[in-house]
Amino acid sequence: MKPRHLVVCISLLALAVTADAKDKNPFLRNLPFESGKIQYAISGMEEGTEILYVRGYGEQTATYRQTITSMMGMKVENKTLEITDPEWVYSYDLNEESGVKSVNPIRLMVEEYEKLSGAEQNTVQQNSERFGMSVVNGLGGSVEQFAARILGYDCDKSSAMGVTVYSIHGSSLPLKTESDLMGMKMDMVATSLDKGRVDGKYFQHPAGIEAIYDKESEMMARHMAQQTIAWLKDPHGSSSPQMRMMQSGQTQHADGRMHHVPEDEQPSMDEAMKLLKGMFGDQPQPE
């Protein structure tokens, strides 16, 4: 699973834990400002900068990333652009002059959620909060609300799988990320946040590069969105092997060992992470 996608997963888990019952849709969480520019400094295995442009309270983003990756005595220059809107994610490698267009997985979650009745939506929200925390705990992680204040914004701290993310409270937008995955360390911290109108030129797609539609990723993401909502609607009704294992009170470590899961943490933390990883782990986005 790519570090960038893992950050997304952990941020979504934190949103599930901190969801407010009055939220119309837990998968649609707006930023506290309409538009702006955020600059990040990146250090560690990658050195460089990232600039994030936001408008529509987070509905549209453009991320410009320029770094140098050092590994095994070699240095590789990375220059990427990712543009998202409510429908699509466009990922461009500006060095290779290539691009990929994939469905925005959040859109699919929203669509599946809105198919539910009012009572079913209430159940999904309750299970999101309950089992979201179980997933975080099962990964040896934690969520702490209002853990830090960064650039004038209260941030929630969520940690799991070697990654710690400080996101603006009530959103999935990180202002600080610390990761240590298999000995590869990288930190990214916001150095400035300027609210205000953003020029539309930053959301223009690069000339001469065609974003190739990834149909397979959409099919996979749609299937996983359906599974995730079905699981949150009826956690004990899943017929998957992983869920049957969890309903028997067992789960499996990465090394294959089995251990008993406390009853109040069933159903599966592993199953929930599998669903989340399935939605985000294979999306062909730039690092």
Side-chain angles (χ1 to χ4, degrees):
M1 193 177 194
K2 296 181 180 180
R4 189 178 185 88
H5 307 149
L6 184 54
V7 170
V8 174
C9 287
I10 293 172
S11 298
L12 285 178
L13 289 176
L15 277 181
V17 173
T18 60
D20 193 316
K22 66 177 179 290
D23 289 331
K24 183 177 181 181
N25 190 315
F27 303 104
L28 285 176
R29 308 289 291 278
N30 289 334
L31 290 173
F33 53 89
E34 182 176 4
S35 59
K37 171 186 176 182
I38 306 173
Q39 297 194 66
Y40 298 86
I42 302 170
S43 60
M45 185 184 70
E46 280 190 78
E47 299 275 348
T49 60
E50 181 171 294
I51 301 177
L52 172 67
Y53 297 95
V54 177
R55 61 182 181 183
Y57 295 96
E59 280 197 348
Q60 293 180 298
T61 65
T63 304
Y64 292 77
R65 188 181 183 97
Q66 190 163 356
T67 63
I68 294 178
T69 302
S70 300
M71 185 178 296
M72 300 178 65
M74 299 178 59
K75 293 187 176 182
V76 179
E77 182 180 356
N78 313 293
K79 192 174 182 181
T80 62
L81 166 60
E82 180 177 286
I83 298 175
T84 69
D85 61 36
E87 301 292 318
W88 303 100
V89 177
Y90 301 86
S91 303
Y92 297 100
D93 185 322
L94 300 180
N95 288 334
E96 297 292 333
E97 296 188 346
S98 61
V100 175
K101 171 185 175 182
S102 55
V103 68
N104 188 332
I106 301 301
R107 157 193 153 193
L108 302 180
M109 294 294 291
V110 170
E111 289 178 1
E112 293 301 320
Y113 180 83
E114 291 181 347
K115 292 177 183 178
L116 303 176
S117 67
E120 289 173 331
Q121 290 179 356
N122 289 335
T123 298
V124 164
Q125 291 209 33
Q126 292 169 9
N127 287 337
S128 295
E129 181 175 356
R130 176 185 173 190
F131 295 119
M133 195 67 244
S134 294
V135 171
V136 173
N137 289 337
L139 293 169
S142 63
V143 173
E144 180 184 352
Q145 296 191 58
F146 305 106
R149 191 167 179 83
I150 301 174
L151 298 180
Y153 288 91
D154 290 322
C155 293
D156 299 334
K157 176 183 176 182
S158 50
S159 302
M161 300 176 69
V163 178
T164 297
V165 182
Y166 293 83
S167 300
I168 293 178
H169 178 70
S171 81
S172 60
L173 193 153
L175 292 183
K176 183 178 180 180
T177 303
E178 303 168 337
S179 63
D180 186 354
L181 301 170
M182 296 181 292
M184 295 183 290
K185 297 183 179 181
M186 189 176 68
D187 294 338
M188 186 171 78
V189 60
T191 57
S192 65
L193 192 161
D194 300 315
K195 295 182 294 183
R197 183 179 177 276
V198 176
D199 196 307
K201 68 181 182 182
Y202 295 112
F203 297 86
Q204 293 179 357
H205 297 256
I209 303 178
E210 180 184 2
I212 305 300
Y213 170 53
D214 189 342
K215 183 178 181 180
E216 289 186 2
S217 74
E218 176 168 351
M219 293 174 61
M220 178 274 297
R222 186 175 297 278
H223 176 66
M224 286 301 169
Q226 292 169 347
Q227 283 195 350
T228 301
I229 294 298
W231 179 75
L232 289 171
K233 185 172 68 172
D234 184 12
H236 296 284
S238 171
S239 60
S240 70
Q242 292 84 358
M243 188 61 72
R244 289 197 299 270
M245 182 186 296
M246 286 307 301
Q247 289 170 336
S248 69
Q250 291 185 315
T251 189
Q252 190 171 23
H253 290 287
D255 61 6
R257 294 180 296 110
M258 304 300 296
H259 77 281
H260 183 76
V261 178
E263 184 177 353
D264 62 357
E265 291 185 8
Q266 300 176 27
S268 167
M269 289 86 74
D270 287 347
E271 177 70 8
M273 277 308 296
K274 178 184 176 185
L275 295 175
L276 286 170
K277 288 181 181 181
M279 288 186 64
F280 297 100
D282 296 329
Q283 295 292 323
Q285 299 175 16
E287 291 300 308

